[in-house]
């Protein structure tokens, strides 16, 4: 039975990934979710799987080498899927050091623990082990020419403290591959959207503010471009790289869905009008007049765009959810889960661990 150690499994993509693999592989796999439950970790994202025999949650910090080593001692881990990170660019501009500690040092702790557990006496590695490092397209910097794309060969040029910390962690993984022949892959993905995303990120923030009749803060001129991918398509790509990716390789994941931020906000408002019936207060409040252009993000990257040619041709990956469908599904999810949003915005979700597992 294959054991997956998923770090950051209580976060947005991590919890979607756990749902994805438990649905796909059922009881034939075991999942251990290692998460420190920072502000971004929300165990209620996994309420529906928490009672399963083949799922276990461990509250631990990836910076804590002893705790991580202990997990490798007590579990025969086959695959590490390393999501845990500080993930929000705006926060990294305020407190860069936390990003270095978690994203760089934390990744180093994870790599050391996996290496120690998987290395054989002859210096080789046990069969079937893999470390999948989940990274971002932001490490490649910013594009200006509309015909330009990020390829796996594009030189790294990070600008924000977040992307600089992710780039450093990618280089550490590459160094372990080159130095120890450590069995790893890196995936660099574009902007994700979908259920369970924390409302500090553009799409859930705009949905929540629109439904509450609040201002919709657009940075700068609103013309920065992001390449949006439905989170389940990202999860599918990660699973394919775990199963079929060549050891030591990097795979870019993105669905050729570039949009200006202002277009995203307008689509969200139009979709809310479409999904809610006339007379619904939330529909009346979600108006374009609420769009406010505000001071730009410092060092704001202009455009990201992924070329997913390698993962498509080598592994057969392609996105399944087109944006028009994905954004409808996402808004419908937030409409159906208003209580989730209430608990997140009130901070109540942070008491979930105590309620479920008892206070420490
Ligand atoms: P998120 O912020 O929603 O979740 C991060 C998770 O990591 C949380 O559950 C948090 O509690 C946990 N965590 C943070 N610090 C930790 C620590 N020191 N020890 C243990 N757990 C810790 O992030 P996300 O958006 O789900 O992103 C997941 C990963 O994917 C990140 O590595 C991010 O860089 C990468 N990524 C994200 C996107 C995106 O659009 N969100 C795109 C490409 C890549
Ligand atoms: O590209 C992948 C990256 O996408 C991931 O690595 C990061 O973890 C993830 O947070 C995301 O980074 P961005 O900075 O692109 O995402 P964010 O949702 O913060 O912002 C998207 C765009 O919207 C960006 O150009 C800034 C803008 N924005 C954002 C917010 C929160 C606004 O105009 N207003 C806002 O209130």
């Amino acid at each position: 039975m294959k054991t997956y150690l998923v770090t950051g499994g209580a976060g947005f993509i991590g919890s979607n990934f756990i749902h994805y693999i438990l649905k796909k592989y059922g009881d034939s796999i075991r999942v251990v979710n290692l998460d420190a439950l920072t502000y971004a970790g929300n165990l209620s994202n996994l309420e529906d799987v928490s009672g399963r025999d083949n799922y276990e949650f461990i509250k631990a910090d990836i910076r804590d080498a002893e705790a991580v080593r202990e997990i490798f001692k007590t579990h025969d881990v086959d695959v590490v899927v390393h999501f845990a990170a500080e993930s929000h660019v705006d926060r990294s501009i305020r407190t860069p050091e936390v990003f270095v500690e978690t994203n760089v040092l934390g990744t180093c702790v994870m790599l050391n623990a996996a290496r120690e557990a998987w290395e054989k006496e002859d210096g080789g590695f046990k069969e079937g082990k893999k470390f999948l490092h989940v990274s971002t397209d932001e490490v490649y910097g910013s594009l200006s020419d509309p015909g330009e794309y990020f390829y796996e060969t594009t030189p790294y040029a990070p600008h924000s403290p977040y992307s600089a910390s992710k780039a450093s962690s990618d280089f550490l993984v590459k160094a372990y591959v080159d130095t120890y022949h450590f069995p790893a892959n890196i995936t660099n993905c574009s902007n994700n959207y979908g259920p369970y995303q924390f409302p500090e990120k553009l799409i859930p923030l705009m949905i929540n503010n629109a439904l509450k009749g609040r201002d919709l803060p657009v940075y700068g001129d609103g013309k920065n471009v992001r390449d949006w991918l439905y989170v389940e398509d990202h999860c599918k790509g990660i699973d394919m790289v775990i199963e079929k990716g060549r050891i030591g390789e990097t795979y870019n994941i993105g669905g050729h869905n570039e949009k200006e931020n202002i277009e995203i906000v307008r689509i969200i408002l139009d979709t809310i009008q479409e999904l809610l019936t006339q007379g619904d207060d939330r529909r009346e409040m979600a108006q374009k007049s609420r769009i406010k252009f505000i001071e730009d993000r410092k060092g704001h990257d202009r455009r990201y765009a992924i070329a997913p040619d390698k993962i498509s041709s080598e592994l057969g990956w392609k996105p399944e959810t087109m944006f028009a469908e994905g954004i409808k599904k996402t808004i419908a999810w937030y409409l159906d889960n208003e209580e989730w949003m209430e608990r997140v915005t009130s901070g109540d979700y942070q008491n979930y661990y105590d309620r479920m597992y008892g206070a420490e």
Side-chain angles (χ1 to χ4, degrees):
M1 194 188 242
K2 202 182 211 169
T3 298
Y4 292 72
L5 175 59
V6 179
T7 72
F12 164 49
I13 310 176
S15 58
N16 276 285
F17 182 76
I18 290 175
H19 283 123
Y20 181 86
I21 52 171
L22 283 174
K23 191 167 164 207
K24 178 166 177 191
Y25 299 110
D27 291 336
S28 70
I29 60 163
R30 191 175 289 127
V31 175
V32 179
N33 174 9
L34 181 181
D35 200 299
L37 300 183
T38 68
Y39 80 95
N42 184 349
L43 269 191
S44 69
N45 296 356
L46 293 158
E47 222 163 353
D48 54 332
V49 302
S50 63
R52 289 176 73 129
D53 291 339
N54 61 337
Y55 168 81
E56 183 183 344
F57 172 69
I58 300 175
K59 185 167 187 254
D61 195 310
I62 57 166
R63 295 168 296 182
D64 182 346
E66 267 317 302
V68 173
R69 195 176 290 133
E70 194 53 35
I71 294 172
F72 278 91
K73 272 194 197 143
T74 47
H75 296 83
D76 182 12
V77 174
D78 297 297
V79 182
V80 174
V81 196
H82 181 39
F83 291 100
E86 287 293 334
S87 70
H88 194 41
V89 173
D90 292 328
R91 287 180 191 254
S92 83
I93 294 167
R94 285 171 185 271
T95 54
E97 60 284 357
V98 187
F99 285 69
V100 175
E101 283 168 15
T102 289
N103 300 359
V104 187
L105 297 178
T107 298
C108 191
V109 166
M110 289 306 303
L111 289 166
N112 282 340
R115 185 182 155 221
E116 197 179 294
W118 294 346
E119 207 167 32
K120 295 189 293 190
E121 281 187 1
D122 64 4
F125 286 89
K126 294 176 188 163
E127 274 300 297
K129 305 294 187 187
K130 187 176 270 192
F131 190 104
L132 189 295
H133 177 63
V134 181
S135 192
T136 170
D137 60 358
E138 298 198 13
V139 297
Y140 297 121
S142 181
L143 299 168
S144 43
D145 173 356
E148 261 188 306
Y149 293 95
F150 295 138
Y151 290 88
E152 289 79 359
T153 49
T154 302
Y156 275 30
H159 296 128
S160 71
Y162 163 69
S163 53
S165 70
K166 290 298 288 188
S168 308
S169 65
D170 291 12
F171 280 131
L172 266 177
V173 177
K174 288 173 201 269
Y176 276 61
V177 170
D178 293 345
T179 310
Y180 312 111
H181 304 293
F182 182 73
N185 284 123
I186 299 174
T187 52
N188 294 91
C189 189
S190 61
N191 286 61
N192 285 216
Y193 69 101
Y196 305 114
Q197 189 167 29
F198 195 82
E200 65 188 349
K201 306 281 164 49
L202 180 74
I203 289 184
L205 183 141
M206 292 298 169
I207 296 171
N208 186 42
N209 281 15
L211 293 172
K212 301 220 160 69
R214 298 191 187 133
D215 283 353
L216 307 171
V218 175
Y219 300 164
D221 63 3
K223 292 194 171 153
N224 297 64
V225 171
R226 296 294 181 264
D227 182 359
W228 296 95
L229 183 70
Y230 192 62
V231 62
E232 206 173 283
D233 282 324
H234 183 190
C235 295
K236 183 178 127 193
I238 291 171
D239 176 48
M240 283 178 142
V241 174
I242 292 168
E243 291 300 307
K244 303 191 282 184
R246 285 181 294 131
I247 293 291
E249 293 293 313
T250 287
Y251 294 89
N252 281 357
I253 310 181
H256 278 306
N257 180 55
E258 292 171 48
K259 295 211 181 317
E260 289 183 351
N261 295 334
I262 188 65
E263 193 185 347
I264 294 287
V265 177
R266 292 198 181 112
I267 293 172
I268 289 171
L269 291 170
D270 290 344
T271 311
I272 290 174
Q273 297 300 317
E274 195 186 316
L275 290 178
L276 294 176
T277 47
Q278 222 167 3
D280 189 314
D281 284 351
R282 296 167 301 175
R283 187 176 191 265
E284 308 314 320
M285 284 190 288
Q287 296 300 332
K288 292 200 170 87
S289 57
R290 284 289 181 189
I291 295 174
K292 298 284 181 288
F293 291 92
I294 63 163
E295 189 189 339
D296 209 354
R297 173 185 278 174
K298 286 187 173 61
H300 199 174
D301 285 338
R302 194 63 172 167
R303 172 175 166 253
Y304 303 144
I306 280 276
D309 304 25
K310 181 172 170 181
I311 192 169
S312 303
S313 62
E314 264 189 33
L315 309 184
W317 177 87
K318 59 175 175 8
E320 281 170 23
T321 306
M322 294 302 104
F323 191 73
E325 181 198 346
I327 195 70
K328 228 182 250 184
K329 271 164 75 166
T330 302
I331 295 174
W333 186 88
Y334 283 101
L335 286 169
D336 288 346
N337 291 276
E338 282 187 316
E339 203 192 319
W340 181 92
M341 187 60 94
E342 282 316 316
R343 287 206 304 244
V344 168
T345 45
S346 71
D348 182 50
Y349 71 106
Q350 291 188 304
N351 302 323
Y352 184 87
Y353 180 80
D354 290 344
R355 283 202 301 272
M356 278 298 286
Y357 299 91
E360 279 176 304

